[in-house]
Amino acid sequence: MKLFGLKNCDTCRKALKTLTEAEFLDVRADGVPRDLLEKAYDQFGSKLVNNRSTTWRELSEEQRARPGLDLLMEHPTLMKRPLIVVDDTLYLGWDKANQAALTPA
């Protein structure tokens, strides 16, 4: 299990506290492999882009109009977090449904 996020993200910290076996990868330091970003974008679409983030607010209107996948490759901190990879299954965010799916009963 791999968890892509930011080390200072509260939601990522909550997920890591529960998913103790997860390997944490900081998107700012480590980035996200392009093939994984493509797969996640295919699955989640525009929900993968966090348009409430500080990074998003710093972008110009012209930059925001670019394709989401291009923005994510250039600014990995724009990705909604956490992105959790378990084998070939992707989970986005740490909502109740993902918590139930990923934590033992």
Side-chain angles (χ1 to χ4, degrees):
M1 177 184 300
K2 293 183 179 184
L3 188 149
F4 291 86
L6 291 171
K7 63 182 175 185
N8 60 346
C9 171
D10 290 337
T11 305
C12 292
R13 282 191 231 157
K14 288 175 189 173
L16 277 171
K17 188 174 182 180
T18 303
L19 304 172
T20 55
E21 74 283 1
E23 175 188 355
F24 177 73
L25 296 148
D26 190 306
V27 298
R28 184 168 297 158
D30 305 317
V32 182
R34 183 171 185 90
D35 61 331
L36 176 60
L37 263 183
E38 288 172 351
K39 181 178 178 182
Y41 198 78
D42 287 346
Q43 183 173 337
F44 301 113
S46 62
K47 288 192 279 183
L48 189 62
V49 178
N50 182 357
N51 58 11
R52 295 186 304 164
S53 72
T54 304
T55 305
W56 178 263
R57 289 191 299 265
E58 293 172 353
L59 296 176
S60 69
E61 287 299 319
E62 182 180 295
Q63 289 172 308
R64 291 178 185 177
R66 294 179 52 214
L69 190 57
D70 292 346
L71 283 172
L72 290 166
M73 287 303 300
E74 192 173 319
H75 305 280
T77 57
L78 275 175
M79 185 181 74
K80 181 171 170 61
R81 302 171 300 271
L83 176 63
I84 304 166
V85 182
V86 181
D87 299 319
D88 286 332
T89 306
L90 303 179
Y91 300 89
L92 183 62
W94 190 238
D95 59 16
K96 297 233 182 268
N98 288 346
Q99 290 174 33
L102 293 167
T103 54

